[in-house]
């Protein structure tokens, strides 16, 4: 079973990388709302990758975030500053997806993309401890 969880975590890391690449492409062509969305999902899939290493999964974003915060940030396994990346990316994703009059800026999209890169890098470094 452990091997399959590691494989699932690896798959989720790859999904996070796909979302990051999509965010970069969206940013390049001026689709800032979509870039915010894809950057958030890079963070989200990275959290799901880390969470499954501890055998946890959830269909709810709030559950994924709460478990990640409790198990990885509060326990000091990963840097607590990652919590701000989660909070900001979640907020901007919700605004860009659901607020009809929200205007996403290039600066917002660039900052969110940089945060997603940092977040994914931290989770991927942690994951590498589990790779064979």
């Amino acid at each position: 079973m452990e091997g399959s969880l590691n494989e699932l975590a690896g798959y989720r890391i790859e999904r996070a990388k796909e979302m990051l690449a999509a965010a970069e492409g969206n940013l390049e062509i001026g689709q800032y709302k979509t870039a915010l969305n894809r950057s958030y999902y890079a963070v989200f899939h990275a959290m799901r990758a880390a969470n499954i290493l501890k055998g946890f999964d959830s269909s709810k974003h709030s559950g994924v975030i709460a478990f990640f915060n409790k198990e990885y940030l509060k326990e000091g396994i990963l840097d607590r500053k990652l919590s701000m990346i989660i909070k900001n990316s979640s907020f901007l994703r919700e605004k860009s997806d659901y607020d009809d009059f929200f205007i996403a800026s290039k600066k917002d999209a660039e900052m969110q993309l940089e945060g997603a890169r940092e977040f994914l890098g931290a989770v991927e470094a942690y994951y590498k401890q589990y790779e064979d």
Side-chain angles (χ1 to χ4, degrees), residues 27-43:
L27 177 63
E28 259 181 44
I29 61 173
Q31 293 178 342
Y32 304 135
K33 284 185 177 185
T34 307
L36 291 171
N37 176 286
R38 298 294 85 185
S39 292
Y40 167 77
Y41 276 99
V43 170

PDB file of all heavy atoms in Angstrom, residues 27-43:
ATOM      1  N   LEU A  27      -0.577  33.562 -17.974  1.00  0.00           N
ATOM      2  CA  LEU A  27       0.021  34.855 -17.647  1.00  0.00           C
ATOM      3  C   LEU A  27       0.615  35.495 -18.900  1.00  0.00           C
ATOM      4  O   LEU A  27       0.409  36.682 -19.154  1.00  0.00           O
ATOM      5  CB  LEU A  27       1.094  34.680 -16.566  1.00  0.00           C
ATOM      6  CG  LEU A  27       1.873  35.923 -16.156  1.00  0.00           C
ATOM      7  CD1 LEU A  27       0.952  36.973 -15.544  1.00  0.00           C
ATOM      8  CD2 LEU A  27       2.968  35.553 -15.172  1.00  0.00           C
ATOM      9  N   GLU A  28       1.308  34.704 -19.691  1.00  0.00           N
ATOM     10  CA  GLU A  28       1.946  35.204 -20.910  1.00  0.00           C
ATOM     11  C   GLU A  28       0.959  35.838 -21.866  1.00  0.00           C
ATOM     12  O   GLU A  28       1.277  36.812 -22.533  1.00  0.00           O
ATOM     13  CB  GLU A  28       2.653  34.060 -21.640  1.00  0.00           C
ATOM     14  CG  GLU A  28       4.131  34.011 -21.419  1.00  0.00           C
ATOM     15  CD  GLU A  28       4.762  32.853 -22.190  1.00  0.00           C
ATOM     16  OE1 GLU A  28       4.415  32.644 -23.375  1.00  0.00           O
ATOM     17  OE2 GLU A  28       5.606  32.180 -21.587  1.00  0.00           O
ATOM     18  N   ILE A  29      -0.241  35.269 -21.976  1.00  0.00           N
ATOM     19  CA  ILE A  29      -1.215  35.786 -22.940  1.00  0.00           C
ATOM     20  C   ILE A  29      -2.233  36.731 -22.311  1.00  0.00           C
ATOM     21  O   ILE A  29      -3.240  37.076 -22.920  1.00  0.00           O
ATOM     22  CB  ILE A  29      -1.912  34.643 -23.713  1.00  0.00           C
ATOM     23  CG1 ILE A  29      -2.689  33.715 -22.783  1.00  0.00           C
ATOM     24  CG2 ILE A  29      -0.902  33.866 -24.548  1.00  0.00           C
ATOM     25  CD1 ILE A  29      -3.525  32.661 -23.503  1.00  0.00           C
ATOM     26  N   GLY A  30      -1.966  37.131 -21.068  1.00  0.00           N
ATOM     27  CA  GLY A  30      -2.814  38.143 -20.426  1.00  0.00           C
ATOM     28  C   GLY A  30      -4.098  37.620 -19.821  1.00  0.00           C
ATOM     29  O   GLY A  30      -4.980  38.412 -19.490  1.00  0.00           O
ATOM     30  N   GLN A  31      -4.220  36.332 -19.640  1.00  0.00           N
ATOM     31  CA  GLN A  31      -5.403  35.759 -18.994  1.00  0.00           C
ATOM     32  C   GLN A  31      -5.125  35.640 -17.497  1.00  0.00           C
ATOM     33  O   GLN A  31      -4.844  34.564 -16.971  1.00  0.00           O
ATOM     34  CB  GLN A  31      -5.737  34.397 -19.604  1.00  0.00           C
ATOM     35  CG  GLN A  31      -6.177  34.484 -21.029  1.00  0.00           C
ATOM     36  CD  GLN A  31      -6.451  33.116 -21.637  1.00  0.00           C
ATOM     37  OE1 GLN A  31      -6.012  32.094 -21.131  1.00  0.00           O
ATOM     38  NE2 GLN A  31      -7.186  33.116 -22.747  1.00  0.00           N
ATOM     39  N   TYR A  32      -5.212  36.770 -16.807  1.00  0.00           N
ATOM     40  CA  TYR A  32      -4.776  36.848 -15.414  1.00  0.00           C
ATOM     41  C   TYR A  32      -5.688  36.081 -14.465  1.00  0.00           C
ATOM     42  O   TYR A  32      -5.201  35.459 -13.526  1.00  0.00           O
ATOM     43  CB  TYR A  32      -4.625  38.302 -14.985  1.00  0.00           C
ATOM     44  CG  TYR A  32      -3.682  39.071 -15.878  1.00  0.00           C
ATOM     45  CD1 TYR A  32      -3.996  40.340 -16.345  1.00  0.00           C
ATOM     46  CD2 TYR A  32      -2.466  38.518 -16.281  1.00  0.00           C
ATOM     47  CE1 TYR A  32      -3.140  41.036 -17.176  1.00  0.00           C
ATOM     48  CE2 TYR A  32      -1.607  39.207 -17.113  1.00  0.00           C
ATOM     49  CZ  TYR A  32      -1.947  40.471 -17.548  1.00  0.00           C
ATOM     50  OH  TYR A  32      -1.084  41.145 -18.372  1.00  0.00           O
ATOM     51  N   LYS A  33      -6.987  36.115 -14.686  1.00  0.00           N
ATOM     52  CA  LYS A  33      -7.895  35.357 -13.815  1.00  0.00           C
ATOM     53  C   LYS A  33      -7.611  33.867 -13.925  1.00  0.00           C
ATOM     54  O   LYS A  33      -7.576  33.152 -12.924  1.00  0.00           O
ATOM     55  CB  LYS A  33      -9.362  35.639 -14.155  1.00  0.00           C
ATOM     56  CG  LYS A  33      -9.863  36.972 -13.674  1.00  0.00           C
ATOM     57  CD  LYS A  33     -11.348  37.107 -13.949  1.00  0.00           C
ATOM     58  CE  LYS A  33     -11.878  38.405 -13.406  1.00  0.00           C
ATOM     59  NZ  LYS A  33     -13.337  38.518 -13.561  1.00  0.00           N
ATOM     60  N   THR A  34      -7.414  33.399 -15.132  1.00  0.00           N
ATOM     61  CA  THR A  34      -7.136  31.979 -15.323  1.00  0.00           C
ATOM     62  C   THR A  34      -5.771  31.621 -14.748  1.00  0.00           C
ATOM     63  O   THR A  34      -5.598  30.537 -14.181  1.00  0.00           O
ATOM     64  CB  THR A  34      -7.228  31.604 -16.822  1.00  0.00           C
ATOM     65  OG1 THR A  34      -8.491  32.047 -17.319  1.00  0.00           O
ATOM     66  CG2 THR A  34      -7.103  30.109 -17.024  1.00  0.00           C
ATOM     67  N   ALA A  35      -4.816  32.527 -14.856  1.00  0.00           N
ATOM     68  CA  ALA A  35      -3.497  32.298 -14.256  1.00  0.00           C
ATOM     69  C   ALA A  35      -3.613  32.174 -12.737  1.00  0.00           C
ATOM     70  O   ALA A  35      -2.960  31.319 -12.123  1.00  0.00           O
ATOM     71  CB  ALA A  35      -2.533  33.422 -14.626  1.00  0.00           C
ATOM     72  N   LEU A  36      -4.453  33.005 -12.125  1.00  0.00           N
ATOM     73  CA  LEU A  36      -4.676  32.905 -10.677  1.00  0.00           C
ATOM     74  C   LEU A  36      -5.280  31.550 -10.325  1.00  0.00           C
ATOM     75  O   LEU A  36      -4.877  30.910  -9.352  1.00  0.00           O
ATOM     76  CB  LEU A  36      -5.603  34.027 -10.194  1.00  0.00           C
ATOM     77  CG  LEU A  36      -5.035  35.439 -10.223  1.00  0.00           C
ATOM     78  CD1 LEU A  36      -6.139  36.452  -9.927  1.00  0.00           C
ATOM     79  CD2 LEU A  36      -3.887  35.591  -9.261  1.00  0.00           C
ATOM     80  N   ASN A  37      -6.234  31.118 -11.111  1.00  0.00           N
ATOM     81  CA  ASN A  37      -6.884  29.835 -10.876  1.00  0.00           C
ATOM     82  C   ASN A  37      -5.884  28.683 -10.989  1.00  0.00           C
ATOM     83  O   ASN A  37      -5.802  27.825 -10.115  1.00  0.00           O
ATOM     84  CB  ASN A  37      -8.038  29.658 -11.872  1.00  0.00           C
ATOM     85  CG  ASN A  37      -8.703  28.311 -11.767  1.00  0.00           C
ATOM     86  OD1 ASN A  37      -8.131  27.308 -12.192  1.00  0.00           O
ATOM     87  ND2 ASN A  37      -9.909  28.285 -11.231  1.00  0.00           N
ATOM     88  N   ARG A  38      -5.130  28.660 -12.058  1.00  0.00           N
ATOM     89  CA  ARG A  38      -4.189  27.561 -12.284  1.00  0.00           C
ATOM     90  C   ARG A  38      -3.069  27.561 -11.240  1.00  0.00           C
ATOM     91  O   ARG A  38      -2.623  26.491 -10.811  1.00  0.00           O
ATOM     92  CB  ARG A  38      -3.583  27.628 -13.692  1.00  0.00           C
ATOM     93  CG  ARG A  38      -4.603  27.498 -14.830  1.00  0.00           C
ATOM     94  CD  ARG A  38      -5.284  26.151 -14.914  1.00  0.00           C
ATOM     95  NE  ARG A  38      -6.441  26.061 -14.045  1.00  0.00           N
ATOM     96  CZ  ARG A  38      -7.176  24.979 -13.846  1.00  0.00           C
ATOM     97  NH1 ARG A  38      -6.891  23.855 -14.460  1.00  0.00           N
ATOM     98  NH2 ARG A  38      -8.201  24.989 -13.045  1.00  0.00           N
ATOM     99  N   SER A  39      -2.623  28.734 -10.809  1.00  0.00           N
ATOM    100  CA  SER A  39      -1.607  28.802  -9.756  1.00  0.00           C
ATOM    101  C   SER A  39      -2.143  28.221  -8.455  1.00  0.00           C
ATOM    102  O   SER A  39      -1.445  27.491  -7.751  1.00  0.00           O
ATOM    103  CB  SER A  39      -1.158  30.247  -9.524  1.00  0.00           C
ATOM    104  OG  SER A  39      -0.454  30.743 -10.623  1.00  0.00           O
ATOM    105  N   TYR A  40      -3.385  28.562  -8.139  1.00  0.00           N
ATOM    106  CA  TYR A  40      -3.997  27.982  -6.940  1.00  0.00           C
ATOM    107  C   TYR A  40      -4.035  26.464  -7.041  1.00  0.00           C
ATOM    108  O   TYR A  40      -3.715  25.758  -6.078  1.00  0.00           O
ATOM    109  CB  TYR A  40      -5.421  28.517  -6.715  1.00  0.00           C
ATOM    110  CG  TYR A  40      -6.159  27.693  -5.688  1.00  0.00           C
ATOM    111  CD1 TYR A  40      -5.901  27.854  -4.326  1.00  0.00           C
ATOM    112  CD2 TYR A  40      -7.061  26.698  -6.063  1.00  0.00           C
ATOM    113  CE1 TYR A  40      -6.537  27.064  -3.377  1.00  0.00           C
ATOM    114  CE2 TYR A  40      -7.698  25.911  -5.125  1.00  0.00           C
ATOM    115  CZ  TYR A  40      -7.435  26.092  -3.786  1.00  0.00           C
ATOM    116  OH  TYR A  40      -8.047  25.307  -2.846  1.00  0.00           O
ATOM    117  N   TYR A  41      -4.443  25.950  -8.197  1.00  0.00           N
ATOM    118  CA  TYR A  41      -4.542  24.502  -8.327  1.00  0.00           C
ATOM    119  C   TYR A  41      -3.178  23.816  -8.297  1.00  0.00           C
ATOM    120  O   TYR A  41      -3.088  22.650  -7.897  1.00  0.00           O
ATOM    121  CB  TYR A  41      -5.385  24.103  -9.542  1.00  0.00           C
ATOM    122  CG  TYR A  41      -6.843  24.125  -9.177  1.00  0.00           C
ATOM    123  CD1 TYR A  41      -7.660  25.205  -9.500  1.00  0.00           C
ATOM    124  CD2 TYR A  41      -7.396  23.089  -8.433  1.00  0.00           C
ATOM    125  CE1 TYR A  41      -8.986  25.240  -9.111  1.00  0.00           C
ATOM    126  CE2 TYR A  41      -8.720  23.116  -8.038  1.00  0.00           C
ATOM    127  CZ  TYR A  41      -9.510  24.194  -8.380  1.00  0.00           C
ATOM    128  OH  TYR A  41     -10.823  24.225  -7.972  1.00  0.00           O
ATOM    129  N   ALA A  42      -2.126  24.520  -8.662  1.00  0.00           N
ATOM    130  CA  ALA A  42      -0.777  23.967  -8.481  1.00  0.00           C
ATOM    131  C   ALA A  42      -0.509  23.774  -6.988  1.00  0.00           C
ATOM    132  O   ALA A  42      -0.021  22.718  -6.557  1.00  0.00           O
ATOM    133  CB  ALA A  42       0.273  24.895  -9.103  1.00  0.00           C
ATOM    134  N   VAL A  43      -0.875  24.764  -6.194  1.00  0.00           N
ATOM    135  CA  VAL A  43      -0.725  24.676  -4.738  1.00  0.00           C
ATOM    136  C   VAL A  43      -1.623  23.564  -4.184  1.00  0.00           C
ATOM    137  O   VAL A  43      -1.190  22.748  -3.364  1.00  0.00           O
ATOM    138  CB  VAL A  43      -1.047  26.035  -4.070  1.00  0.00           C
ATOM    139  CG1 VAL A  43      -1.130  25.917  -2.561  1.00  0.00           C
ATOM    140  CG2 VAL A  43      -0.010  27.085  -4.477  1.00  0.00           C
TER     141      VAL A  43
END
